[in-house]
Amino acid sequence: MPSLTATPASALEIYDTTLRDGAQAEDVSFSVEDKLRVAQQLDALGVHFIEGGWPGANPKDIEFFRKIKTVPLRNATVVAFGSTRKASNSVRKDKNLQALVDSGTPTITLFGKSWSFQVTDALGIALAKNLELIEDSIHYLRSKNRRVFYDAEHFFDGYKANPDYALQTIRRAIAGGAERVILCDTNGGTMPWEIREICRVVKQECPVPLGIHAHNDSEMAVANSLVAVESGIVQVQGTINGIGERCGNANLCSIIPNLQLKMQRPALGDKLTHLKDVSGFVTEIANLMPNKRQPYVGDAAFAHKGGVHIHAVLKNAATYEHIDPAVVGNRRRILVSDYAGRSGLLEKVEAYGISLTKNHVKLQELVETLKERESQGYQFEGAEGSFELLMRKAMGSHRPSFQLLGFRVIVEKKQEHGLLLSEATVMVQVGNVVEHTAAVGAGPVNALDHALRKALEKFYPQLREVKLLDYKVRVLSAEKGTESKVRVLIESGDHKDKWGTVGVSENIMEASWQALADSIEYKLLLTDR
Amino acid sequence: MPSLTATPASALEIYDTTLRDGAQAEDVSFSVEDKLRVAQQLDALGVHFIEGGWPGANPKDIEFFRKIKTVPLRNATVVAFGSTRKASNSVRKDKNLQALVDSGTPTITLFGKSWSFQVTDALGIALAKNLELIEDSIHYLRSKNRRVFYDAEHFFDGYKANPDYALQTIRRAIAGGAERVILCDTNGGTMPWEIREICRVVKQECPVPLGIHAHNDSEMAVANSLVAVESGIVQVQGTINGIGERCGNANLCSIIPNLQLKMQRPALGDKLTHLKDVSGFVTEIANLMPNKRQPYVGDAAFAHKGGVHIHAVLKNAATYEHIDPAVVGNRRRILVSDYAGRSGLLEKVEAYGISLTKNHVKLQELVETLKERESQGYQFEGAEGSFELLMRKAMGSHRPSFQLLGFRVIVEKKQEHGLLLSEATVMVQVGNVVEHTAAVGAGPVNALDHALRKALEKFYPQLREVKLLDYKVRVLSAEKGTESKVRVLIESGDHKDKWGTVGVSENIMEASWQALADSIEYKLLLTDR
């Protein structure tokens, strides 16, 4: 059996379950590829454990555990999740336990019932039988050389209903070899003062380090997690942005900065400045609307609107900001003044090697252009390529590489279950030469992409090495139905660089065209350097 | 002067500031008419105080206070908000105090500085001077026969920095005649254990009832408010849905049910069942996206997705629900996903009035079809219309209303900055009649939508009342660039119902077609009932 962990009991462990419990959220569905990408981000952020899925319940998760083995991770331990064996199965015949063993992770989190009512009413078995399931399931996994964490499901409800039984379940988990016992507020209904009192009692009873797994049904998940830490718990489970079943899990994007900045309990070390980026990444991958009012990482978290507040913040930020936004990778926004806008922009323009003073007329023009674009729905975070082109156009230093004379895209379907034809024609001018060509594609945007490259590659052979890596569509102001504006974000790359470009229009073809054309212009700008 | 309130100190007061502090939220802007409507809803919900605005800072609010006098309110007292006088003004010459008097409300909330740093750095005046401003501003309003509540801005930060001075500010407020002292965590950075300790000290020092005004910058506003109540505070200030500056204010939609259901502290009496409606009303009026994951009142607050959860909830709801959703006017939802097993599906099928046993072959077929569709990228959460059509097809009880013979979509752009033309042709057959028609639109999907309706409306005039409410595009497996699969979700509605439909394809036109066609089929299914 593996030795007990070397982590000192006083060090905190951040245990992320975005990929398992987070995936239980309504509207969230991760592909295996999504999960691998999120896992890498979580690892870079510095979380200690990544719960990757439940291989016994979801075949997709089996593939994740197979593939994650080939992904190099620096800090994080990948954990498989599953339940204690079924009452009718032996440990060796239990599919769920076998899937956990087969997942090959050195650490496994096993959940079991700690609320007597759940044992009798949900499982429908005797209380003593459940104790057996817990102990021998854990014992079996330990015999396979795995570290086991025990998730005591519904622990707080269970303790309130039948404290003796709840404590018995965790004693048996420890007897089986569990290295951590995680107290779960599965239904999210427990108040912080109850958490404090129950954690205190369990800590006295329990010889292994404890964890907390809170849900947000009473809007208490973050508070409950921190109160548990105050009561001596060492492992905090949660998800990025708090996504999860019903109202979600405890939000690590609030818990981590609260721990580090308010409680002086180091959690991630020096990676806190990545927090906003990771939050945004998970939102994008999950294709959720970003919650701009989210504490710490939301776009409005340090946005000031009230006149009194703005006046004071410009004198001294501490008057209306509880922390420095940069510490979590966020920034201050002044909603009714362009003052901050210009200083921030100046910084950006200088980063591109252009020297301007704060009152330069070109800078003012750029501020106006950006405001105008943003009010139309453009967003330049993640579209630095388009931003640089816009800036160079405003500065008068951009020479276009080609001129569009026209395009036409046709999508045709001949019968109800027939195949579709997507065809695009493009006419462009480079110097004095007009090129007119056509191509097909998997869909209209793909066809347009093919036709445009076909037209330009003879002039600019370096375009052959450009790949489209990512294509995203977000519907803005959705209430106008199919007439709504859409924003297209494209990520492109070659052997060396990656760049993002953006387009906005009521017409998805026009928005895609803008982003495609910018992507090509940006590549040619890179080649010129 | 009016006598002290008759409210016994042990009864809680719910003080709503949606119309004042809530209006400071980014993207929120209430008209006077909006404010009057929200005030009526708040009154019907049973809140005790409605803070209507700051007449000294916003001229719009002067009109609100004038008009609200003519609106009959049953329970609530309308309150005007403002600041202590400016150091350079006498009370009689202070515009802000005069605007408060002119507002005519019998109760006024006056805020002042309780953090020494704010006095010296934001106001730029001497500490002793600030104490004078507080006392004589309140005294003046009392002389005009108004009840005064004192909002001690930044109290917790102030107490931590300089406890003596913070306590002096509230002593002077009481000397001036304040009936309540509200301790504000203005920057939202205070932890619950600090709130508890500071409230305890202040309560011993302070002869008038205390209130709490919390902000959510650390995701602690609800917890901090309840911890304050636990510590003997009687007035809780917050906003509906927690809207407010930056990350928002304490969320009354979570505080009120927590008080009533978790702490047995009656707050609204029997009006709790209106909570979800009022939450939705404010979201609509403020023109915000509803937060479906919001505790208690969100659409997902009692939505179950995990197979284990669904199985157990169908046996006994208490297994995964911390309260009965009906108590706050909400309801349970069973989501269809690859996590949900056969029990969930059976429940859904039965909800459509079809009776099947758990082992019925059709049910098994439906499970297989759903799995197949989901592996292709379909998602039926939010696409209940497509789900019902799929189910009826699997059961053999669906007769299609039309047959597609073909469509063609053309998007054409004639020059670099030229306008786009989007045109669609559609050929459909209804019974023995073939209809072939064409239409233009804002973009290709919009054109296809127009052409399809144009072709079908002569057969089914009820389609005229269908509106497309929402259109969403999600790129699946984005790494294939413009060749990626997309999922289109459409929400449609008529005067009575709303329904969602879905389509998936590598071709966005095909995916949109599927969702559009399902939307129309579903509407015709509704009409047949």
Side-chain angles (χ1 to χ4, degrees), chain B residues 144-184:
Chain B
K144 295 288 176 186
N145 219 23
R146 310 304 164 90
R147 295 176 63 186
V148 181
F149 296 168
Y150 176 66
D151 264 10
E153 202 195 13
H154 291 110
F155 185 81
F156 296 96
D157 290 322
Y159 185 89
K160 286 191 275 179
N162 188 342
D164 286 345
Y165 187 74
L167 289 172
Q168 277 184 59
T169 63
I170 63 181
R171 277 191 210 108
R172 295 293 285 269
I174 295 166
E179 287 184 30
R180 297 280 182 279
V181 169
I182 293 93
L183 309 180
C184 302

Side-chain angles (χ1 to χ4, degrees), chain A residues 13 20-21 94 111 133 136 231 240 243 253 255 293 301 340 353 358 428 464 476 493:
Chain A
E13 298 169 352
R20 204 276 305 169
D21 225 1
D94 191 78
F111 82 93
L133 303 186
D136 67 3
S231 311
I240 297 297
I243 60 171
C253 293
I255 288 174
R293 297 165 218 283
K358 196 164 170 176
V428 289
R464 287 201 189 99
L476 309 166

Side-chain angles (χ1 to χ4, degrees), chain A residues 27-28 153 219 254 405 414, chain B residues 219 254 320 381 405 414:
Chain A
D27 302 333
V28 172
E153 202 194 13
E219 210 171 327
S254 294
L405 300 180
K414 293 288 194 186
Chain B
E219 210 171 330
S254 294
Y320 290 95
E381 292 163 35
L405 300 180
K414 292 287 195 187

Side-chain angles (χ1 to χ4, degrees), chain A residues 23-29 33 54 58 60 113 117-118 121-122 153-154 186-187 189 191 193 216-220 222-223 226 230 245-247 251 254 258 262-263 285-288 292-293 295-296 300-301 303-306 308-309 315-316 318-322 333 335 403-416 420 422 442-446 449 468-473 475 478-479 481-483 506-510, chain B residues 23-28 54 113 115 117-118 121-122 153-154 186-187 189 191 193 216-220 222-223 226 230 245-247 251 254 258 262-263 288 292-296 300-301 303-306 308-309 315-316 318-322 333 335 338-339 379 381 403-416 420 422 442-446 449 468-475 478-479 481-483 506-510:
Chain A
Q24 303 266 57
E26 184 170 9
D27 302 333
V28 172
S29 170
E33 202 51 45
W54 183 348
N58 302 303
K60 225 162 51 175
K113 302 286 182 196
F117 154 73
Q118 291 275 343
D121 280 50
E153 202 194 13
H154 291 110
T186 308
N187 292 4
M191 295 291 110
W193 43 91
N216 205 34
D217 300 73
S218 310
E219 210 171 327
M220 287 296 176
V222 171
L226 297 188
E230 277 275 291
E245 184 117 15
R246 306 185 310 274
C247 309
N251 180 5
S254 294
N258 279 335
K262 301 299 169 86
M263 298 168 73
I285 289 280
N287 200 30
L288 296 172
K292 65 161 63 167
R293 297 165 218 283
Y296 290 104
H304 302 283
K305 183 170 165 185
V308 170
H309 290 204
K315 272 194 185 172
N316 185 328
T319 52
Y320 289 95
E321 287 177 359
H322 68 128
R333 288 165 60 230
L335 298 180
Q403 198 195 340
L404 176 72
L405 300 180
F407 70 72
R408 183 187 300 120
V409 180
I410 298 175
V411 180
E412 204 168 25
K413 178 162 173 156
K414 293 288 194 186
Q415 52 185 325
E416 181 125 19
L420 273 83
S422 299
V445 182
N446 191 231
D449 177 27
L468 283 182
L469 305 173
D470 196 354
Y471 174 76
K472 283 204 183 88
V473 182
V475 177
E479 63 282 356
T482 55
E483 224 171 305
E506 281 175 1
N507 190 317
I508 191 169
M509 295 311 304
E510 166 66 15
Chain B
Q24 303 266 56
E26 185 172 5
D27 304 331
V28 171
W54 183 348
K113 301 286 182 198
W115 184 3
F117 155 72
Q118 292 275 342
D121 280 50
E153 202 195 13
H154 291 110
T186 309
N187 292 4
M191 295 290 109
W193 41 91
N216 204 35
D217 300 73
S218 310
E219 210 171 330
M220 287 298 176
V222 171
L226 297 187
E230 278 275 293
E245 183 117 14
R246 304 186 309 274
C247 308
N251 180 4
S254 294
N258 279 334
K262 301 299 169 86
M263 298 168 73
L288 296 172
K292 67 162 62 165
R293 298 164 218 284
Q294 195 175 322
Y296 289 104
H304 302 283
K305 182 169 167 186
V308 170
H309 289 204
K315 274 193 181 171
N316 184 327
T319 52
Y320 290 95
E321 288 177 359
H322 69 128
R333 289 165 60 229
L335 304 179
D338 50 2
Y339 284 79
Q379 180 190 297
E381 292 163 35
Q403 198 195 339
L404 176 72
L405 300 180
F407 69 72
R408 183 187 301 120
V409 180
I410 298 177
V411 180
E412 204 167 26
K413 179 162 176 156
K414 292 287 195 187
Q415 52 185 325
E416 182 125 18
L420 273 82
S422 299
V445 182
N446 190 233
D449 177 27
L468 284 183
L469 305 174
D470 195 354
Y471 174 75
K472 283 203 184 95
V473 183
R474 157 49 147 152
V475 177
E479 63 283 355
T482 54
E483 223 171 306
E506 282 175 0
N507 191 316
I508 192 169
M509 295 312 303
E510 167 65 16

Side-chain angles (χ1 to χ4, degrees), chain B residues 166-459:
Chain B
L167 289 172
Q168 277 184 59
T169 63
I170 63 181
R171 277 191 210 108
R172 295 293 285 269
I174 295 166
E179 287 184 30
R180 297 280 182 279
V181 169
I182 293 93
L183 309 180
C184 302
D185 184 28
T186 309
N187 292 4
T190 309
M191 295 290 109
W193 41 91
E194 297 171 325
I195 298 277
R196 178 191 301 272
E197 178 56 20
I198 295 172
C199 287
R200 196 185 57 76
V201 173
V202 177
K203 195 169 180 320
Q204 285 168 353
E205 292 277 331
C206 190
V208 305
L210 296 175
I212 179 81
H213 174 108
H215 278 263
N216 204 35
D217 300 73
S218 310
E219 210 171 330
M220 287 298 176
V222 171
N224 283 347
S225 302
L226 297 187
V227 162
V229 170
E230 278 275 293
S231 310
I233 263 175
V234 305
Q235 181 177 111
V236 184
Q237 300 198 346
T239 64
I240 297 297
N241 302 330
I243 59 170
E245 183 117 14
R246 304 186 309 274
C247 308
N249 286 57
N251 180 4
L252 289 178
C253 292
S254 294
I255 288 174
I256 292 167
N258 279 334
L259 286 171
Q260 296 206 183
L261 305 173
K262 301 299 169 86
M263 298 168 73
Q264 283 70 51
R265 295 291 299 265
L268 295 188
D270 61 351
K271 301 301 194 306
L272 198 59
T273 51
H274 297 204
L275 195 67
K276 184 171 166 59
D277 283 350
V278 173
S279 161
F281 184 84
V282 170
T283 299
E284 280 302 315
I285 290 279
N287 198 26
L288 296 172
M289 287 292 289
N291 173 7
K292 67 162 62 165
R293 298 164 218 284
Q294 195 175 322
Y296 289 104
V297 296
D299 283 345
F302 303 94
H304 302 283
K305 182 169 167 186
V308 170
H309 289 204
I310 290 173
H311 188 74
V313 157
L314 295 177
K315 274 193 181 171
N316 184 327
T319 52
Y320 290 95
E321 288 177 359
H322 69 128
I323 62 155
D324 174 2
V327 170
V328 291
N330 209 337
R331 66 183 183 92
R332 176 174 315 129
R333 289 165 60 229
I334 302 292
L335 304 179
V336 181
S337 85
D338 50 2
Y339 284 79
R342 232 183 296 174
S343 332
L345 200 56
L346 193 62
E347 156 105 339
K348 273 203 108 83
V349 172
E350 281 169 356
Y352 293 107
I354 297 168
S355 172
L356 281 180
T357 62
K358 194 165 170 174
N359 297 313
H360 197 289
V361 61
K362 293 280 189 200
L363 190 68
Q364 190 50 40
E365 275 174 36
L366 186 55
V367 168
E368 293 305 318
T369 310
L370 277 176
K371 274 191 183 166
E372 165 71 18
R373 291 293 173 106
E374 287 187 342
S375 75
Q376 288 166 13
Y378 285 81
Q379 180 190 297
F380 295 97
E381 292 163 35
E384 297 285 319
S386 290
F387 175 76
E388 186 169 348
L389 288 168
L390 192 75
M391 191 187 64
R392 292 188 180 276
K393 283 172 192 166
M395 301 297 152
S397 65
H398 175 70
R399 282 166 306 127
S401 309
F402 66 95
Q403 198 195 339
L404 176 72
L405 300 180
F407 69 72
R408 183 187 301 120
V409 180
I410 298 177
V411 180
E412 204 167 26
K413 179 162 176 156
K414 292 287 195 187
Q415 52 185 325
E416 182 125 18
H417 300 287
L419 286 181
L420 273 82
L421 174 76
S422 299
E423 182 199 63
T425 65
V426 163
M427 196 192 287
V428 289
Q429 184 168 345
V430 178
N432 293 322
V433 185
V434 171
E435 184 69 23
H436 191 183
T437 188
V440 294
V445 182
N446 190 233
L448 185 62
D449 177 27
H450 288 172
L452 180 62
R453 285 154 179 270
K454 196 169 160 189
L456 292 175
E457 274 173 15
K458 65 177 61 168
F459 305 100

